[in-house]
Amino acid sequence: MVPERESRDRAPAGATAASRPRTARLDQPGVPRRRFLPEYDPDAFGRLSERIARFLGTGRFLVWMTAAIILWVAWNTLAPRDLRFDEYPFIFLTLMLSLQASYAAPLILLAQNRQDDRDRVNLEQDRKQNERSIADTEYLTREVAALRIGLGEVATRDWIRSELQDMIKELEERQNGHRHDTVVFPAERSGGRDADDR
């Protein structure tokens, strides 16, 4: 009888085991494949494109580009013939400007796409914040309504003040109506002197 350890270490036998391809193990990292295209960091490239697009939209870029074109045209029209590198139709200048435009357009579009993505994330965060604010406001409104209902039967300062004013008016009316018949205050019994007169 073969021990159990030896049976595990042996290679599988039989026709089906020999023809089966050996697969990568899932518990070990895979071997990286060779890539023919160069690898780059999309986020770093996006940041660079945003910087370039931001520079292309400034007045400084327009001043530098205008100065370069004026210098180019001046050199190729005023310099001696053997030092000129682009004659009058300025074909090479046209090529350089179209090359610059062909690179600037995709860079600007890439920067706009990144800005749109950021705006979309910001709008989503603002929407969630607004939903939380609305929920908090509704909760506070319900709490204030519950407090008002609870305070509806509690005597407030204004209610007590109005009740006291009504009682004073009622007492003054009684005093004016019964002044001739009966004496209401004890100060009037003692010769008409009040406590304030003392």
Side-chain angles (χ1 to χ4, degrees), residues 127-138:
R127 187 183 64 78
K128 288 180 181 176
Q129 181 65 34
N130 288 341
E131 286 177 356
R132 284 194 295 268
S133 298
I134 289 171
D136 291 344
T137 305
E138 288 175 354

Side-chain angles (χ1 to χ4, degrees), residues 101-172:
S102 67
Y103 273 100
L107 287 174
I108 291 170
L109 287 174
L110 179 61
Q112 285 178 346
N113 288 341
R114 285 174 56 88
Q115 184 63 41
D116 288 343
D117 292 342
R118 277 195 300 270
D119 290 344
R120 191 175 304 116
V121 169
N122 288 338
L123 286 174
E124 183 66 24
Q125 289 175 350
D126 289 345
R127 187 183 64 78
K128 288 180 181 176
Q129 181 65 34
N130 288 341
E131 286 177 356
R132 284 194 295 268
S133 298
I134 289 171
D136 291 344
T137 305
E138 288 175 354
Y139 172 75
L140 290 174
T141 304
R142 286 192 301 270
E143 288 296 315
V144 168
L147 286 173
R148 282 186 180 168
I149 291 171
L151 287 175
E153 299 184 12
V154 175
T156 61
R157 183 175 33 175
D158 294 334
W159 182 79
I160 292 174
R161 188 175 291 154
S162 68
E163 289 294 318
L164 285 174
Q165 287 175 353
D166 291 343
M167 288 178 67
I168 289 172
K169 285 180 187 177
E170 186 179 327
L171 285 174
E172 287 176 354

Side-chain angles (χ1 to χ4, degrees), residues 32-59:
R33 292 188 212 174
R34 195 175 272 188
R35 296 182 185 237
F36 297 107
L37 297 175
E39 292 186 23
Y40 66 95
D41 183 15
D43 197 40
F45 186 73
R47 285 194 302 268
L48 176 66
S49 69
E50 284 179 341
R51 283 189 201 137
I52 293 171
R54 201 171 293 125
F55 176 68
L56 290 176
T58 61

Side-chain angles (χ1 to χ4, degrees), residues 3-33:
E4 192 175 318
R5 177 180 255 177
E6 290 178 17
S7 66
R8 270 192 253 149
D9 292 340
R10 279 189 299 165
T16 56
S19 63
R20 200 174 341 167
R22 188 174 172 104
T23 59
R25 294 185 51 175
L26 296 177
D27 61 339
Q28 295 177 352
V31 178
R33 292 188 212 174

